[in-house]
Amino acid sequence: MKLTRKQILTRGIIKENPVLILVLGLCPVLAVSTQAGNAIGMGLATTFVLLGSNIVISALRKIIPGRTRIPCYIVLIASFTVLAIMAIEAYAYTLYQALGIFLPLIAVNCIIFARAEMFASKNTVFDSILDALGSGVGFTLALFVIASIREIFGSGSWFGYAIPWLSENSVMIFSLAPGGFIVLACVLAAVNKLTKTYELRTHPGCNKCPNAGACGKHEHAS
Amino acid sequence: MKRTYVMPLVVLTLICIVASAALALMETVTRPIISAAAAEREAAMMSEIILEAEGFEYIDLSGLSGVPQTIRAVYRTTNNVGYIFIAEVSGFSGVITIICGIDQDGQIIKTVPLSHSETQGIGTIIDTPAFLTPFQGGDSTLEGIDTVTGATITTRAFINAINDIFQALEEIRNGA
């Protein structure tokens, strides 16, 4: 199954959304999704690292030896993360403060690693850029949706602007860790229902699996 | 056979060198901006704490052994209004940085948390006037100030920081 460029770009947004379908990178999703503004910032920072690492890894895919590819990827991803951190600390200090420890943790975000290992290491630079943009936007979108729900009900505001009535009657659990799990589960359930990913459980098979393209073993199973 | 061991090492080393060079370059660009902004924030904060202050001078704590480890920096106003203390204590999640102004009589002028990562909606009580106002005018006995139920760890950390600050004040006065 050869993907067109448009498919490479768009599949990460809904069909293979890294958070909502592939269920990757949940640590930042749960931790940073208390405010919509922070979620956008985190999403953009992650997209930048994803883009940088995908470009370099796909450009070096013929040079990086198979045996030491994992340390090579880690060095590259961590370097891009530190670049992003320095830029954010210098030019967007409030965001830097709000994201805290989760900014350095982009280095170990499994979405970035998954894209490097499953896509960038096997495809051209241009395709990898499209793939990174798709996955990055998908991650940002998922984070934004979850953070909006949590901020609106948990803090009674949206992007920091108070919402009448809700701001006086906020439900604090939405802002806390359990609320993060509950909202994430509800959003996952809704997306599963809408995209019919739940059919995977009842009708397993590579054709319906969002990972089939990357896994490359789909011709062996039926 | 030998090549299989040499090549991965060479490539990985080269990647590390290039990555370090890129980081060093970025560091030289952003470091001045970051430290200038940090100094500016601290200066703005200090003059907000002690409004009457004309200027601040840094007090060297290296000769004073009894100053608690939590005290990060102390400044004295140039026109003898009081002192500014910056303290760092462990809260419920991560470090709470506190700034506190104390006048010559040993009374708190004003104290606020500079930065923290406490639980939204619980530990964030230390940002509220309800928690902070009772400190104003208080002395080292901290009378009438108590931890807040539900946010015990965060508020206790804050109060401990204030106690450390008074201990440091005592040391500085004895030493000076």
Side-chain angles (χ1 to χ4, degrees):
Chain A
M1 183 173 66
K2 184 84 182 128
L3 292 163
T4 65
R5 295 228 149 124
K6 196 179 155 211
Q7 277 176 314
I8 292 173
L9 179 64
T10 54
R11 68 187 169 141
I13 298 171
I14 299 288
K15 199 164 156 266
E16 292 182 23
N17 187 296
V19 176
L20 302 175
I21 306 290
L22 304 183
V23 203
L24 293 175
L26 295 191
C27 175
V29 167
L30 289 167
V32 189
S33 61
T34 49
Q35 283 173 330
N38 293 352
I40 299 278
M42 184 67 182
L44 293 182
T46 308
T47 306
F48 166 78
V49 177
L50 193 54
L51 197 57
S53 66
N54 256 19
I55 290 172
V56 176
I57 287 167
S58 61
L60 298 177
R61 69 185 186 281
K62 299 219 170 71
I63 303 167
I64 293 176
R67 281 185 175 186
T68 45
R69 68 184 195 287
I70 307 281
C72 290
Y73 296 166
I74 291 174
V75 169
L76 290 169
I77 294 169
S79 305
F80 276 107
T81 307
V82 179
L83 284 180
I85 294 171
M86 288 198 239
I88 293 173
E89 188 178 2
Y91 302 108
Y93 187 76
T94 39
L95 184 66
Y96 173 79
Q97 267 190 317
L99 297 181
I101 182 68
F102 295 100
L103 217 38
L105 285 179
I106 294 176
V108 287
N109 188 316
C110 50
I111 297 171
I112 298 171
F113 206 79
R115 291 341 288 172
E117 176 76 3
M118 290 183 356
F119 197 89
S121 58
K122 299 169 191 156
N123 290 279
T124 62
V125 175
F126 186 71
D127 285 353
S128 299
I129 292 175
L130 295 180
D131 180 72
L133 287 176
S135 292
V137 170
F139 177 69
T140 311
L141 191 71
L143 205 49
F144 170 70
V145 169
I146 294 164
S148 295
I149 297 171
R150 290 182 68 188
E151 191 184 351
I152 288 169
F153 293 104
S155 313
S157 61
W158 199 52
F159 282 102
Y161 294 104
I163 298 169
W165 193 76
L166 275 175
S167 55
E168 288 111 60
N169 299 286
S170 59
V171 188
M172 211 175 70
I173 196 167
F174 277 95
S175 297
L176 302 177
F181 281 103
I182 293 167
V183 172
L184 176 67
C186 293
V187 172
L188 280 179
V191 169
N192 273 358
K193 182 74 187 163
L194 292 173
T195 60
K196 306 213 188 311
T197 309
Y198 67 98
E199 283 183 8
L200 267 178
R201 320 272 188 273
T202 45
H203 301 94
C206 288
N207 288 338
K208 292 197 177 97
C209 176
N211 280 327
C215 132
K217 290 181 184 156
H218 53 298
E219 57 277 342
H220 301 305
S222 57
Chain B
M1 193 60 206
K2 201 180 162 198
R3 212 168 154 263
T4 54
Y5 291 98
V6 174
M7 267 313 278
L9 269 175
V10 171
V11 171
L12 183 55
T13 312
L14 282 178
I15 288 178
C16 287
I17 292 170
V18 173
S20 312
L23 291 180
L25 191 71
M26 188 69 175
E27 166 91 11
T28 54
V29 175
T30 54
R31 181 54 54 197
I33 303 173
I34 292 169
S35 43
E40 204 172 287
R41 269 194 308 278
E42 218 155 65
M45 207 60 211
M46 288 198 291
S47 32
E48 214 169 283
I49 297 285
I50 304 185
L51 298 169
E52 300 87 6
E54 284 168 2
F56 298 94
E57 58 175 345
Y58 184 78
I59 300 178
D60 187 16
L61 297 176
S62 52
L64 302 166
S65 54
V67 174
Q69 292 291 313
T70 49
I71 306 298
R72 204 191 72 197
V74 185
Y75 298 86
R76 181 190 288 126
T77 60
T78 48
N79 53 339
N80 283 328
V81 182
Y83 298 90
I84 291 274
F85 290 84
I86 296 171
E88 283 177 348
V89 283
S90 299
F92 185 71
S93 59
V95 173
I96 307 176
T97 308
I98 292 161
I99 188 166
C100 180
I102 298 180
D103 65 17
Q104 295 292 357
D105 306 325
Q107 289 188 328
I108 297 174
I109 299 171
K110 191 179 175 187
T111 179
V112 284
L114 275 182
S115 67
H116 65 79
S117 49
E118 300 303 290
T119 316
Q120 188 81 31
I122 297 177
T124 45
I125 189 160
I126 58 170
D127 289 325
T128 60
F131 177 75
L132 293 172
T133 318
F135 284 98
Q136 289 180 23
D139 56 17
S140 58
T141 56
L142 290 183
E143 246 178 42
I145 292 161
D146 207 351
T147 51
V148 176
T149 310
T152 318
I153 295 175
T154 307
T155 51
R156 189 191 290 145
F158 195 102
I159 292 166
N160 285 343
I162 301 293
N163 279 323
D164 286 351
I165 286 168
F166 275 113
Q167 198 185 325
L169 178 72
E170 197 65 37
E171 284 291 324
I172 289 164
R173 285 183 160 171
N174 292 341

